[in-house]
Amino acid sequence: MSVLVAADFDVADWAAWWPALTAALPGEHLVRSVAEVGDDAIDIAIVANPPAGALQGLDSLRLIQSLWAGVDKLLADPTVPPGVPLARMVDPAMNDAMAETALWAVLGLQRSFFDYAASQRAAQWKPLPQHRADDFTVAVLGLGQMGRTAAQRLVQHGCRVHGWSTRPCVVDGVQTHVGDAALPELLATAQIVVNLLPLTPATRGLFDAAAFAQMPRGASLVNLARGAHVVEADLLAALDSGHLHRAVLDVFATEPLPVAHAFWSHPRVTVLPHVAAQTDPRSAAVVVAANVEALRRGLPISHRVDRARGY
Ligand code: NAP
Ligand code: GLV
């Protein structure tokens, strides 16, 4: 049987991924196109934003392994076979990268570094008051692989950290909150909200005018998860009214962010091109290989997506 790698990679991506995957899976026959072997010969698919329909008709498929942590796009494709186990990428190296981005964003907000970047563009010499980490309450929404690692890094940095999830959990140094009823009070206490939720029907559009109104005046949003979590027009209105101080955004409703989008030139928006935590072939290929080996040996697959929950 063969392993299909179905991805929207460019030449440079393939140059990094192909050697990493073939080295990590020495006993497997990897193909980049179904046509190389025929539908029935594919029993594993390794996917990264595959074109819609890429897995249709693969009746021998026994495992879909995502190279992405978030599987919202895959689950939105009705041709992805519903009965086949789907595993998402969970890689400690990726969690660390996300924690670094969250720390960078919080530090930039705490010490006004983003404001100084704007002052530089305007040739303004404008010292601002210096704040300590423990002047800030940070709410981390989502306490999974990414959120938990980021929350712990922020605790080490000295912030007061709160976290939010659907099921009770314990994270050292973090005051945790559970369920929808806890959200308004949590938002009301946070000077910085860091979004690390998966995109599901329950979380789509969570950051709307009502949520921004619950945040205190002068608070900031850091969105490192998915663009569709945010109602972008409501965010712009909350920034323009002065209610929110700043937004640090890595993800957008439309990616790449359109050239004419107001976020590009907004003085209190910082834009990253969806790079908060990129999958690193060097470590991720090993994670993939462990699941492929588990399947071959009849052992349980790690990091299976609960399709009913959507993550
Ligand atoms: P994860 O391990 O599945 O964790 C998800 C967390 O969100 C869990 O704590 C879960 O709570 C919580 N949650 C889900 N729905 C909720 C709801 N309705 N209310 C409250 N809490 C809810 O996911 P992860 O690996 O940390 O990744 C999170 C997301 O980050 C991914 O889905 C992806 O979209 C995004 N991401 C972005 C980048 C980037 O570069 N920008 C990179 C990687 C990932 P329970 O455990 O209690 O259910
Ligand atoms: C990136 O956004 C991922 O989900 O891995």
Side-chain angles (χ1 to χ4, degrees), residues 103-134:
L103 178 60
W104 161 82
V106 168
L107 194 52
L109 292 165
Q110 171 207 328
R111 293 291 310 279
S112 308
F113 294 139
F114 299 120
D115 298 324
Y116 292 130
S119 296
Q120 181 183 350
R121 284 191 293 274
Q124 282 179 343
W125 185 273
K126 199 174 157 193
L128 296 166
Q130 178 175 300
H131 298 290
R132 298 188 336 195
D134 64 358

mmCIF file of all heavy atoms in Angstrom, residues 103-134:
data_model
loop_
_atom_site.group_PDB
_atom_site.id
_atom_site.type_symbol
_atom_site.label_atom_id
_atom_site.label_comp_id
_atom_site.label_asym_id
_atom_site.label_seq_id
_atom_site.Cartn_x
_atom_site.Cartn_y
_atom_site.Cartn_z
ATOM 1 N N LEU A 103 4.148 35.269 23.786
ATOM 2 C CA LEU A 103 4.973 36.081 24.690
ATOM 3 C C LEU A 103 5.418 37.371 23.997
ATOM 4 O O LEU A 103 5.369 38.453 24.594
ATOM 5 C CB LEU A 103 6.199 35.270 25.149
ATOM 6 C CG LEU A 103 7.174 36.015 26.065
ATOM 7 C CD1 LEU A 103 6.491 36.485 27.347
ATOM 8 C CD2 LEU A 103 8.376 35.129 26.401
ATOM 9 N N TRP A 104 5.831 37.250 22.743
ATOM 10 C CA TRP A 104 6.240 38.449 21.966
ATOM 11 C C TRP A 104 5.098 39.466 21.917
ATOM 12 O O TRP A 104 5.311 40.664 22.132
ATOM 13 C CB TRP A 104 6.663 38.009 20.562
ATOM 14 C CG TRP A 104 6.669 39.119 19.558
ATOM 15 C CD1 TRP A 104 7.653 40.049 19.358
ATOM 16 C CD2 TRP A 104 5.627 39.412 18.612
ATOM 17 N NE1 TRP A 104 7.276 40.905 18.338
ATOM 18 C CE2 TRP A 104 6.054 40.539 17.871
ATOM 19 C CE3 TRP A 104 4.394 38.843 18.312
ATOM 20 C CZ2 TRP A 104 5.278 41.104 16.855
ATOM 21 C CZ3 TRP A 104 3.623 39.400 17.306
ATOM 22 C CH2 TRP A 104 4.069 40.510 16.590
ATOM 23 N N ALA A 105 3.887 38.976 21.658
ATOM 24 C CA ALA A 105 2.741 39.892 21.530
ATOM 25 C C ALA A 105 2.436 40.550 22.878
ATOM 26 O O ALA A 105 2.217 41.769 22.958
ATOM 27 C CB ALA A 105 1.518 39.133 21.009
ATOM 28 N N VAL A 106 2.427 39.750 23.932
ATOM 29 C CA VAL A 106 2.103 40.297 25.261
ATOM 30 C C VAL A 106 3.193 41.272 25.707
ATOM 31 O O VAL A 106 2.906 42.355 26.242
ATOM 32 C CB VAL A 106 1.903 39.144 26.276
ATOM 33 C CG1 VAL A 106 1.861 39.672 27.706
ATOM 34 C CG2 VAL A 106 0.614 38.377 25.944
ATOM 35 N N LEU A 107 4.450 40.912 25.457
ATOM 36 C CA LEU A 107 5.561 41.802 25.825
ATOM 37 C C LEU A 107 5.483 43.114 25.034
ATOM 38 O O LEU A 107 5.690 44.200 25.587
ATOM 39 C CB LEU A 107 6.877 41.068 25.522
ATOM 40 C CG LEU A 107 8.175 41.603 26.083
ATOM 41 C CD1 LEU A 107 8.097 41.837 27.586
ATOM 42 C CD2 LEU A 107 9.284 40.595 25.773
ATOM 43 N N GLY A 108 5.164 42.995 23.747
ATOM 44 C CA GLY A 108 5.030 44.195 22.914
ATOM 45 C C GLY A 108 3.939 45.117 23.416
ATOM 46 O O GLY A 108 4.081 46.343 23.388
ATOM 47 N N LEU A 109 2.847 44.514 23.908
ATOM 48 C CA LEU A 109 1.739 45.323 24.442
ATOM 49 C C LEU A 109 2.119 45.893 25.811
ATOM 50 O O LEU A 109 1.904 47.074 26.093
ATOM 51 C CB LEU A 109 0.475 44.459 24.546
ATOM 52 C CG LEU A 109 -0.113 44.039 23.194
ATOM 53 C CD1 LEU A 109 -1.116 42.902 23.355
ATOM 54 C CD2 LEU A 109 -0.774 45.236 22.505
ATOM 55 N N GLN A 110 2.697 45.038 26.654
ATOM 56 C CA GLN A 110 3.063 45.464 28.020
ATOM 57 C C GLN A 110 4.042 46.641 27.992
ATOM 58 O O GLN A 110 3.877 47.625 28.720
ATOM 59 C CB GLN A 110 3.696 44.277 28.760
ATOM 60 C CG GLN A 110 4.313 44.618 30.104
ATOM 61 C CD GLN A 110 5.445 43.660 30.467
ATOM 62 O OE1 GLN A 110 5.414 42.487 30.092
ATOM 63 N NE2 GLN A 110 6.429 44.147 31.180
ATOM 64 N N ARG A 111 5.056 46.551 27.117
ATOM 65 C CA ARG A 111 6.122 47.554 27.111
ATOM 66 C C ARG A 111 5.941 48.598 25.996
ATOM 67 O O ARG A 111 6.845 49.381 25.730
ATOM 68 C CB ARG A 111 7.481 46.852 26.955
ATOM 69 C CG ARG A 111 7.869 45.981 28.154
ATOM 70 C CD ARG A 111 8.181 46.817 29.403
ATOM 71 N NE ARG A 111 9.124 47.881 29.090
ATOM 72 C CZ ARG A 111 10.442 47.713 29.003
ATOM 73 N NH1 ARG A 111 10.970 46.530 29.236
ATOM 74 N NH2 ARG A 111 11.230 48.723 28.695
ATOM 75 N N SER A 112 4.739 48.584 25.373
ATOM 76 C CA SER A 112 4.395 49.593 24.340
ATOM 77 C C SER A 112 5.307 49.539 23.117
ATOM 78 O O SER A 112 5.438 50.541 22.407
ATOM 79 C CB SER A 112 4.435 51.025 24.928
ATOM 80 O OG SER A 112 3.656 51.106 26.083
ATOM 81 N N PHE A 113 5.935 48.387 22.847
ATOM 82 C CA PHE A 113 6.861 48.322 21.717
ATOM 83 C C PHE A 113 6.130 48.521 20.377
ATOM 84 O O PHE A 113 6.695 49.077 19.439
ATOM 85 C CB PHE A 113 7.642 47.004 21.707
ATOM 86 C CG PHE A 113 8.581 46.849 22.889
ATOM 87 C CD1 PHE A 113 8.704 45.634 23.545
ATOM 88 C CD2 PHE A 113 9.339 47.922 23.348
ATOM 89 C CE1 PHE A 113 9.567 45.484 24.625
ATOM 90 C CE2 PHE A 113 10.198 47.778 24.430
ATOM 91 C CZ PHE A 113 10.324 46.551 25.075
ATOM 92 N N PHE A 114 4.867 48.052 20.292
ATOM 93 C CA PHE A 114 4.125 48.265 19.037
ATOM 94 C C PHE A 114 3.823 49.757 18.858
ATOM 95 O O PHE A 114 3.827 50.282 17.749
ATOM 96 C CB PHE A 114 2.821 47.462 19.032
ATOM 97 C CG PHE A 114 3.042 45.974 19.141
ATOM 98 C CD1 PHE A 114 2.512 45.252 20.196
ATOM 99 C CD2 PHE A 114 3.776 45.288 18.181
ATOM 100 C CE1 PHE A 114 2.697 43.883 20.300
ATOM 101 C CE2 PHE A 114 3.980 43.918 18.273
ATOM 102 C CZ PHE A 114 3.441 43.211 19.337
ATOM 103 N N ASP A 115 3.551 50.439 19.989
ATOM 104 C CA ASP A 115 3.289 51.886 19.903
ATOM 105 C C ASP A 115 4.553 52.624 19.467
ATOM 106 O O ASP A 115 4.491 53.575 18.692
ATOM 107 C CB ASP A 115 2.802 52.412 21.260
ATOM 108 C CG ASP A 115 1.488 51.765 21.676
ATOM 109 O OD1 ASP A 115 0.654 51.506 20.789
ATOM 110 O OD2 ASP A 115 1.301 51.496 22.874
ATOM 111 N N TYR A 116 5.716 52.158 19.962
ATOM 112 C CA TYR A 116 6.967 52.811 19.564
ATOM 113 C C TYR A 116 7.252 52.593 18.082
ATOM 114 O O TYR A 116 7.809 53.469 17.414
ATOM 115 C CB TYR A 116 8.142 52.309 20.415
ATOM 116 C CG TYR A 116 8.042 52.742 21.872
ATOM 117 C CD1 TYR A 116 8.193 51.834 22.917
ATOM 118 C CD2 TYR A 116 7.799 54.079 22.191
ATOM 119 C CE1 TYR A 116 8.093 52.225 24.239
ATOM 120 C CE2 TYR A 116 7.694 54.484 23.519
ATOM 121 C CZ TYR A 116 7.841 53.554 24.541
ATOM 122 O OH TYR A 116 7.733 53.953 25.839
ATOM 123 N N ALA A 117 6.866 51.421 17.551
ATOM 124 C CA ALA A 117 7.065 51.182 16.111
ATOM 125 C C ALA A 117 6.227 52.182 15.316
ATOM 126 O O ALA A 117 6.689 52.725 14.299
ATOM 127 C CB ALA A 117 6.680 49.741 15.760
ATOM 128 N N ALA A 118 4.996 52.452 15.811
ATOM 129 C CA ALA A 118 4.141 53.436 15.126
ATOM 130 C C ALA A 118 4.743 54.831 15.265
ATOM 131 O O ALA A 118 4.729 55.624 14.309
ATOM 132 C CB ALA A 118 2.732 53.387 15.713
ATOM 133 N N SER A 119 5.284 55.140 16.456
ATOM 134 C CA SER A 119 5.913 56.463 16.650
ATOM 135 C C SER A 119 7.085 56.637 15.696
ATOM 136 O O SER A 119 7.294 57.723 15.139
ATOM 137 C CB SER A 119 6.433 56.610 18.087
ATOM 138 O OG SER A 119 5.371 56.575 18.986
ATOM 139 N N GLN A 120 7.859 55.557 15.505
ATOM 140 C CA GLN A 120 9.011 55.667 14.600
ATOM 141 C C GLN A 120 8.552 56.014 13.183
ATOM 142 O O GLN A 120 9.141 56.884 12.526
ATOM 143 C CB GLN A 120 9.798 54.352 14.572
ATOM 144 C CG GLN A 120 11.009 54.447 13.647
ATOM 145 C CD GLN A 120 11.790 53.154 13.516
ATOM 146 O OE1 GLN A 120 11.566 52.201 14.245
ATOM 147 N NE2 GLN A 120 12.704 53.125 12.573
ATOM 148 N N ARG A 121 7.478 55.356 12.737
ATOM 149 C CA ARG A 121 6.988 55.633 11.376
ATOM 150 C C ARG A 121 6.574 57.099 11.241
ATOM 151 O O ARG A 121 6.671 57.695 10.183
ATOM 152 C CB ARG A 121 5.822 54.704 11.022
ATOM 153 C CG ARG A 121 6.277 53.282 10.687
ATOM 154 C CD ARG A 121 5.158 52.459 10.088
ATOM 155 N NE ARG A 121 4.081 52.195 11.024
ATOM 156 C CZ ARG A 121 4.066 51.187 11.888
ATOM 157 N NH1 ARG A 121 5.089 50.346 11.941
ATOM 158 N NH2 ARG A 121 3.052 51.014 12.719
ATOM 159 N N ALA A 122 6.119 57.699 12.365
ATOM 160 C CA ALA A 122 5.692 59.109 12.333
ATOM 161 C C ALA A 122 6.811 60.052 12.778
ATOM 162 O O ALA A 122 6.575 61.248 12.983
ATOM 163 C CB ALA A 122 4.467 59.281 13.228
ATOM 164 N N ALA A 123 8.043 59.535 12.954
ATOM 165 C CA ALA A 123 9.198 60.323 13.419
ATOM 166 C C ALA A 123 8.859 61.078 14.707
ATOM 167 O O ALA A 123 9.163 62.255 14.865
ATOM 168 C CB ALA A 123 9.671 61.279 12.326
ATOM 169 N N GLN A 124 8.188 60.365 15.645
ATOM 170 C CA GLN A 124 7.808 60.997 16.916
ATOM 171 C C GLN A 124 8.611 60.389 18.067
ATOM 172 O O GLN A 124 8.615 59.166 18.234
ATOM 173 C CB GLN A 124 6.320 60.763 17.189
ATOM 174 C CG GLN A 124 5.405 61.659 16.391
ATOM 175 C CD GLN A 124 3.942 61.365 16.678
ATOM 176 O OE1 GLN A 124 3.599 60.315 17.210
ATOM 177 N NE2 GLN A 124 3.077 62.288 16.317
ATOM 178 N N TRP A 125 9.249 61.235 18.837
ATOM 179 C CA TRP A 125 9.993 60.808 20.046
ATOM 180 C C TRP A 125 9.017 60.904 21.205
ATOM 181 O O TRP A 125 8.697 62.001 21.663
ATOM 182 C CB TRP A 125 11.181 61.746 20.234
ATOM 183 C CG TRP A 125 12.097 61.374 21.355
ATOM 184 C CD1 TRP A 125 11.991 61.734 22.658
ATOM 185 C CD2 TRP A 125 13.269 60.580 21.242
ATOM 186 N NE1 TRP A 125 13.012 61.209 23.383
ATOM 187 C CE2 TRP A 125 13.829 60.494 22.540
ATOM 188 C CE3 TRP A 125 13.917 59.928 20.181
ATOM 189 C CZ2 TRP A 125 15.002 59.791 22.805
ATOM 190 C CZ3 TRP A 125 15.070 59.240 20.446
ATOM 191 C CH2 TRP A 125 15.607 59.160 21.743
ATOM 192 N N LYS A 126 8.472 59.753 21.661
ATOM 193 C CA LYS A 126 7.314 59.831 22.552
ATOM 194 C C LYS A 126 7.379 58.752 23.637
ATOM 195 O O LYS A 126 6.726 57.703 23.522
ATOM 196 C CB LYS A 126 6.053 59.618 21.697
ATOM 197 C CG LYS A 126 4.764 60.093 22.308
ATOM 198 C CD LYS A 126 3.652 59.935 21.260
ATOM 199 C CE LYS A 126 2.292 59.845 21.892
ATOM 200 N NZ LYS A 126 1.295 59.390 20.921
ATOM 201 N N PRO A 127 8.204 58.959 24.678
ATOM 202 C CA PRO A 127 8.265 57.950 25.742
ATOM 203 C C PRO A 127 6.905 57.773 26.416
ATOM 204 O O PRO A 127 6.169 58.749 26.610
ATOM 205 C CB PRO A 127 9.278 58.524 26.735
ATOM 206 C CG PRO A 127 10.011 59.580 25.992
ATOM 207 C CD PRO A 127 9.075 60.105 24.944
ATOM 208 N N LEU A 128 6.587 56.521 26.761
ATOM 209 C CA LEU A 128 5.313 56.204 27.424
ATOM 210 C C LEU A 128 5.608 55.586 28.779
ATOM 211 O O LEU A 128 6.732 55.124 29.027
ATOM 212 C CB LEU A 128 4.528 55.200 26.554
ATOM 213 C CG LEU A 128 4.103 55.719 25.174
ATOM 214 C CD1 LEU A 128 3.659 54.578 24.272
ATOM 215 C CD2 LEU A 128 2.987 56.750 25.319
ATOM 216 N N PRO A 129 4.618 55.547 29.678
ATOM 217 C CA PRO A 129 4.868 54.925 30.984
ATOM 218 C C PRO A 129 5.282 53.457 30.811
ATOM 219 O O PRO A 129 4.788 52.774 29.917
ATOM 220 C CB PRO A 129 3.500 55.006 31.687
ATOM 221 C CG PRO A 129 2.746 56.066 30.954
ATOM 222 C CD PRO A 129 3.250 56.077 29.550
ATOM 223 N N GLN A 130 6.198 53.008 31.681
ATOM 224 C CA GLN A 130 6.684 51.621 31.594
ATOM 225 C C GLN A 130 5.880 50.734 32.542
ATOM 226 O O GLN A 130 5.769 51.026 33.724
ATOM 227 C CB GLN A 130 8.165 51.586 31.972
ATOM 228 C CG GLN A 130 8.770 50.200 31.960
ATOM 229 C CD GLN A 130 10.263 50.247 32.210
ATOM 230 O OE1 GLN A 130 11.026 50.853 31.461
ATOM 231 N NE2 GLN A 130 10.680 49.630 33.302
ATOM 232 N N HIS A 131 5.318 49.644 32.008
ATOM 233 C CA HIS A 131 4.499 48.742 32.824
ATOM 234 C C HIS A 131 5.255 47.450 33.125
ATOM 235 O O HIS A 131 6.057 46.986 32.322
ATOM 236 C CB HIS A 131 3.198 48.401 32.098
ATOM 237 C CG HIS A 131 2.342 49.601 31.844
ATOM 238 N ND1 HIS A 131 1.702 50.270 32.855
ATOM 239 C CD2 HIS A 131 2.046 50.264 30.702
ATOM 240 C CE1 HIS A 131 1.034 51.297 32.344
ATOM 241 N NE2 HIS A 131 1.229 51.319 31.036
ATOM 242 N N ARG A 132 4.912 46.856 34.288
ATOM 243 C CA ARG A 132 5.484 45.554 34.660
ATOM 244 C C ARG A 132 4.562 44.445 34.150
ATOM 245 O O ARG A 132 3.369 44.670 33.943
ATOM 246 C CB ARG A 132 5.588 45.443 36.177
ATOM 247 C CG ARG A 132 6.492 46.472 36.782
ATOM 248 C CD ARG A 132 6.759 46.263 38.242
ATOM 249 N NE ARG A 132 5.751 45.497 38.978
ATOM 250 C CZ ARG A 132 5.675 45.459 40.307
ATOM 251 N NH1 ARG A 132 6.540 46.150 41.041
ATOM 252 N NH2 ARG A 132 4.759 44.746 40.925
ATOM 253 N N ALA A 133 5.107 43.235 34.031
ATOM 254 C CA ALA A 133 4.292 42.097 33.564
ATOM 255 C C ALA A 133 3.103 41.868 34.488
ATOM 256 O O ALA A 133 1.994 41.561 34.039
ATOM 257 C CB ALA A 133 5.154 40.846 33.482
ATOM 258 N N ASP A 134 3.338 42.047 35.795
ATOM 259 C CA ASP A 134 2.230 41.743 36.720
ATOM 260 C C ASP A 134 1.217 42.888 36.814
ATOM 261 O O ASP A 134 0.276 42.819 37.597
ATOM 262 C CB ASP A 134 2.750 41.319 38.099
ATOM 263 C CG ASP A 134 3.513 42.414 38.826
ATOM 264 O OD1 ASP A 134 3.681 43.515 38.243
ATOM 265 O OD2 ASP A 134 3.950 42.187 39.962
#
